[in-house]
Amino acid sequence: MRHSVRFDVVRPEQELALMASQITTIFTRRTQALKDIVNRAESLTLTYRYEKDLQLSDEGVIEDGAGRPVLDAPLFKMADHTADSGQLSPSETLGREVNTSRSGVHTPLEVYEGYVDVLNGLRVTDGVDETFRANAARDPHMSWQYLGTQLGFLRVYPATWWQPPRPALDVDLYDVRRRPWYIEGSVSPKDVVILMDISGSVHGQTFEIMKIAVKTVLNTLGENDYVNIAWSTNQVGWVNPCLNRLVPATMINKRALAAAVDSLQARNTSDWSKGLDFAYRAFIDFYTTEPEHAGAKCHKLIMFFSDGGTEWAGHVIDKYKNETLTENVRLFAYALGPHPVPPNIMRKMACENGGSFSVIVASGAIRTSIQESYLSVLGKPLALSNSHHLAESSPYSDALGLGYVTTLSMPVFNRSAESKSGQSLMGVAGVDISMKELLRHSPWKKLGPFGYTFAINPNGIVVFHPRLRNPLHYMEDPPDLDLVQLEGDSYKVVEMRTQMIRRNSDSAELSQLVPLDDGHQVELRRVRFTWRPVDNTTLSLGLALPVTHKHMVVSGQNVRQGLPDCDACLLAPSWQFCPGLSGNASERWRQLSERLQAGAENCSQDLVQHLLWDVNWTAVAQTLWDNNSRNQSAGVLGRFLVTDGGLTRFHPADSGAGLLRETEPYTSSLYRQASLVDDLVVRPRPGSRRLLAARRIAVTNSTGDIYTLAVAGVQFSSGWLWSLADGVLTEPGSAAPACSPESGLLCWLLDTGGHVVYASGELPPLRNDTGDRGGPHLGAGDPELMAALVAAGVYRQTTEYNYQGVCLKPSGEASAGSSLRWLGAQLLFDSAYGLLRWLDYLRYLLVSWLLAAQTAPVSALDEFGFEIQADNHSCTQRQTRTQLVAALRPYQGETSCPEEGDCTRRFRAALVDDTNLLLVVSGLPCGCPPPPGQRPAYEPVEDIGPDRCVESVNQTAPFRKRPDTCFATHENEQPACGGAGTAAGPLSLPLLCLALGLALRPGPGGR
């Protein structure tokens, strides 16, 4: 068959319809699997007879009172196994070692697994394994299946090994009852006002326990809940005055509230009546002033934290019980500290108002006490309703390594005779759907380096998106990022978001500023967004695609020839050319070749055909590199070629290690920027003292459509570049370079983002490696000059917030620079332009072989008429981004500094032709003090986020659609009022010791 290459128009509506249909199929299958788990579990409880004499042997065998095993095999305790356990084997679907014959068991730290209730629960749920296996047999792509229980233990199928999250220092704090999918499956959404008594009697250890307890409550809330926190003394107010109403319990809002809680100080006297009046009034104000879509409007809670007291606020409670909007508000009360004031009044307030009461004497008991006190109470109306409502969780990080997942969950009720009149919720069943599984149905290859698919839920929260980052560990809160936080808050984006939530189908065209992974940005002026709902789910699916994009389709390549031997070739690591490829780069190359020679069964024909075509037309590059290697400068470390088909070639063979970030063409910042322009793109590389320069190889037709076949580039030493540039800028007979502190001039080569490619002189902030953000930013080493360039309109500057940041230990700030004065009357601009001689040489390294390489693909493309052309933590971070203004003409300006003896600093700036570089020549710094206000952060810094008092998003509640079901009350609900101790339920011995130790620990300043 004769080979052919063509370029097809991508039709977003058709691609979305196909992807939506495939996602619907996945959700439908998983929903049926979930129902089967629930039915099986409930049927087992119906016939089970509780045995009070069960015990657990040292070998994990559940035995009856006579010591006889009651199950066929010992419990598979996942925490006791490792990846190389002899009972586990690898699973390609789940990406880890599993045992498909049975489920594994996880028990949280707070729960004693030998407690008789737990043993009975483990025994009765053992029979669910049969359903787990049947579900997996019907669906070969089935992810994890769960059965979590109110007792705290979790069954996972298939069984696997368990690993605590890294920040926990090997202490396993996982509890299924606190996972997002479990809470959403067992409790209806909540509007919550947390009231903190911070009067003077609340101090020291008691105050610290209160703060931790309040933040623990925040961690139990999800995106369907609304919350705010108020402080109360003889006055009352919101802990964050700029959050003056209930707000969605998203990660961003919870961070802001937690930071405000940490800053509270105990003071004054208490007035419970005033505080409770404020809390009740908050519900009325919220429901009467906010849009209809705001609020959970289901459960209504006041959670009152104090060290105890004797004031009875019954008149306030009775007043609001007669108000329509507050008649069903539940009151939960917590008496805190090692020596709380007699708490009878707090108990009475909670017990008479649909809540519960708890005493928390030590921080070690907080998690269990919060869990047992209010979540179990709120789950009773659901249990009494006997409704098997289906919940789709927010995306969160899976504890077993699948990355982001959404879990379908459904309550499981205890049907046994001992179930206390039907008020017993046995637990929640769940089935995972990984984002990786959904994205396998995305037409990503057709969409190219700037096209992508995404999805949002009814709250506007992003379910998957290419800019959604994995959290550091699975115990972190879900990111809860709104679509506008990833796509911008322009009118068109907000309108698109609203239409998607309303489950409409449409499209719109808008410009897009795309952030790249290394801190740079590129602007796409015409991007078409298309969207539609996904049937039988709550999701809406979107697709973004540059208007001019075409999809390259290759056919006719002989797959049975396999791949040639190539020690200097790499495949795009994440591209699934064929299923099952594994190992290092050379092994994947060999495995793929063997699969092709065998006929490429089950392989992606689109990817394989494109790859083989790229292998053929780029073969000439290897020959050219070999022939020119003797003439290569000592500063050139290697050459490379990255193709649109997922192939990377490089020379010499030992230079590939420096290209690992570039081998994924659709995520590589260098590839993506170079693919948009004809200019030579130069980029510093972090941690390696290397620079990369690259240019695209593209095809075009008579209508002007351009397609990037590949990006070709050179690696070279930054030290070589700097030495060469210093030499170019040294005038004959001069002892010092023309651009040096001694000569009174500084020269810079900056890229479009303001990052330094070259800097003259010895400036420590710019000579040192700066970590993983690419080249250092000019603003970090010379903020005075950067401010002048921004003021002159050379760069435009914006402040951005990254809500998925990773914060490191803080480092010292760079010096603002010397206060030396201007030493020359005229800029030596002509001498500085000698840098172009170096750029010409650099371009020669590329163009000399690109021109020759173009002869190879010409014949292949003739048939369609195209021509070849040339220890950390997650946090919110603030960063100042700068972007070079397009079509900038040579600019001359100055900045003055009256504070430093009326110093004036002159500068000039001009684009370097056919590159992404800006040449800047300036006088020496004046040492001007920074202007008042917030200083720009050219490297990311930890921040609490935008000023919510002026943030426009804070003024209007964004549109959302709340869940259809609500189980807030039930006529048969019986009061549940505890408070005998710090927690109810089977506490483990380690936790009791921990709680006791914390209780006896002296407070601040104690001995």
Side-chain angles (χ1 to χ4, degrees), residues 38 42 45 147-153 177 181-188 371-372 375-389 409-416 418-429:
V38 172
E42 291 187 352
T45 66
L147 179 59
T149 67
Q150 287 287 80
L151 291 169
F153 72 83
R177 297 168 295 181
W181 65 270
Y182 190 97
I183 294 175
E184 292 182 29
S186 60
V187 177
S188 292
Q371 166 71 35
E372 295 293 337
L375 290 178
S376 59
V377 173
L378 299 187
K380 288 186 176 181
L382 172 62
L384 288 166
S385 71
N386 196 28
S387 173
H388 289 100
H389 79 287
S409 61
M410 191 175 287
V412 179
F413 302 117
N414 187 350
R415 304 299 189 188
S416 68
E418 295 86 4
S419 63
K420 298 181 181 179
S421 304
Q423 294 200 50
S424 177
L425 178 71
M426 176 186 175
V428 178

Side-chain angles (χ1 to χ4, degrees), residues 445-763:
K445 184 62 176 67
K446 292 183 179 181
L447 306 183
F450 289 100
Y452 55 90
T453 54
F454 61 96
I456 66 172
N457 67 17
N459 288 313
I461 300 299
V462 171
V463 176
F464 60 81
H465 190 287
R467 295 196 285 276
L468 191 63
R469 303 299 185 214
N470 279 329
L472 290 176
H473 59 90
Y474 62 77
M475 291 294 285
E476 286 190 349
D477 280 347
D480 296 335
L481 290 180
D482 197 283
L483 182 64
V484 299
Q485 289 163 338
L486 294 180
E487 296 290 357
D489 58 356
S490 68
Y491 167 78
K492 287 188 176 181
V493 172
V494 173
E495 179 61 22
M496 172 178 67
R497 176 189 179 279
T498 300
Q499 292 300 317
M500 293 180 74
I501 294 173
R502 294 186 186 278
R503 302 185 68 77
N504 296 329
S505 299
D506 207 341
S507 64
E509 186 177 309
L510 62 153
S511 62
Q512 187 183 43
L513 194 62
V514 181
L516 304 180
D517 287 343
D518 60 358
H520 293 77
Q521 296 174 319
V522 293
E523 185 173 5
L524 303 178
R525 295 191 177 277
R526 297 185 64 197
V527 179
R528 177 158 292 278
F529 284 80
T530 307
W531 59 90
R532 60 160 296 150
V534 181
D535 294 338
N536 297 334
T537 78
T538 63
L539 305 181
S540 287
L541 191 62
L543 187 151
L545 187 69
V547 171
T548 59
H549 177 74
K550 301 292 189 299
H551 170 51
M552 181 175 175
V553 181
V554 180
S555 60
Q557 303 294 308
N558 184 358
V559 297
R560 291 194 178 272
Q561 288 183 352
L563 299 173
D565 293 337
C566 184
D567 294 332
C569 295
L570 294 171
L571 299 172
S574 69
W575 291 24
Q576 293 296 316
F577 298 94
C578 296
L581 301 183
S582 61
N584 59 33
S586 61
E587 290 172 345
R588 293 183 74 241
W589 185 270
R590 176 186 55 79
Q591 292 169 13
L592 178 56
S593 183
E594 293 173 352
R595 295 288 294 276
L596 298 181
Q597 292 170 356
E601 185 178 357
N602 297 324
C603 296
S604 169
Q605 293 303 311
D606 186 18
L607 294 181
V608 166
Q609 289 286 317
H610 196 160
L611 175 67
L612 291 172
W613 189 80
D614 283 350
V615 168
N616 291 331
W617 79 261
T618 60
V620 66
Q622 205 72 45
T623 302
L624 290 172
W625 291 335
D626 291 338
N627 294 339
N628 294 334
S629 60
R630 294 190 186 91
N631 301 322
Q632 180 170 296
S633 168
V636 176
L637 305 177
R639 297 181 175 90
F640 62 91
L641 179 71
V642 182
T643 75
D644 189 65
L647 169 69
T648 299
R649 287 187 181 271
F650 51 92
H651 182 276
D654 61 358
S655 64
L659 295 171
L660 296 181
R661 294 177 59 180
E662 315 309 331
T663 56
E664 295 271 7
Y666 291 0
T667 59
S668 163
S669 297
L670 181 67
Y671 183 96
R672 297 176 80 195
Q673 184 171 12
S675 70
L676 291 176
V677 296
D678 291 324
D679 292 342
L680 183 71
V681 175
V682 183
R683 285 284 178 80
R685 269 296 168 254
S688 63
R689 297 196 174 277
R690 292 179 300 113
L691 294 172
L692 273 63
R695 188 193 296 276
R696 72 178 178 182
I697 303 174
V699 293
T700 188
N701 65 3
S702 57
T703 63
D705 294 327
I706 298 174
Y707 187 91
T708 298
L709 297 177
V711 166
V714 177
Q715 298 187 70
F716 53 95
S717 164
S718 59
W720 171 74
L721 181 155
W722 287 37
S723 298
L724 181 63
D726 285 343
V728 169
L729 294 173
T730 301
E731 294 182 331
S734 174
C739 286
S740 67
E742 294 78 11
S743 300
L745 296 177
L746 299 177
C747 296
W748 316 79
L749 276 177
L750 308 177
D751 68 12
T752 53
H755 296 83
V756 176
V757 174
Y758 165 80
S760 63
E762 292 291 338
L763 297 179

Side-chain angles (χ1 to χ4, degrees), residues 35 39 135 236 369 384 443 861 952:
K35 291 178 179 178
N39 291 336
N135 287 338
V236 64
S369 191
L384 288 166
L861 299 174
S952 59

Side-chain angles (χ1 to χ4, degrees), residues 828-888:
L828 301 180
F829 211 63
D830 292 340
S831 175
Y833 254 113
L835 283 172
L836 290 177
R837 284 183 283 164
W838 163 77
L839 289 167
D840 287 337
Y841 174 72
L842 181 62
R843 287 205 294 266
Y844 168 76
L845 296 176
L846 284 167
V847 177
S848 61
W849 77 266
L850 286 181
L851 293 175
Q854 287 174 358
T855 59
V858 167
S859 59
L861 299 174
D862 274 347
E863 59 197 86
F864 53 82
F866 281 79
E867 297 178 348
I868 293 294
Q869 289 186 341
D871 301 89
N872 310 333
H873 63 281
S874 295
C875 62
T876 298
Q877 291 178 318
R878 173 174 55 87
Q879 183 175 12
T880 301
R881 290 191 185 271
T882 52
Q883 185 71 20
L884 189 66
V885 176
L888 177 74

Side-chain angles (χ1 to χ4, degrees), residues 104-148:
V105 174
H106 175 272
T107 306
L109 177 67
E110 297 96 324
V111 175
Y112 173 49
E113 61 185 7
Y115 185 68
V116 66
D117 282 357
V118 173
L119 294 178
N120 275 276
L122 289 167
R123 184 185 182 190
V124 69
T125 58
D126 182 71
V128 180
D129 281 10
E130 179 181 338
T131 302
F132 285 152
R133 291 191 292 267
N135 287 338
R138 285 193 300 268
D139 185 353
H141 300 292
M142 177 69 71
S143 295
W144 303 110
Q145 302 176 67
Y146 306 112
L147 179 59

Side-chain angles (χ1 to χ4, degrees), residues 61-79:
V61 176
I62 300 179
E63 301 172 341
D64 61 16
R68 293 170 299 201
V70 297
L71 298 178
D72 294 336
L75 297 175
F76 191 103
K77 301 179 185 179
M78 295 187 291

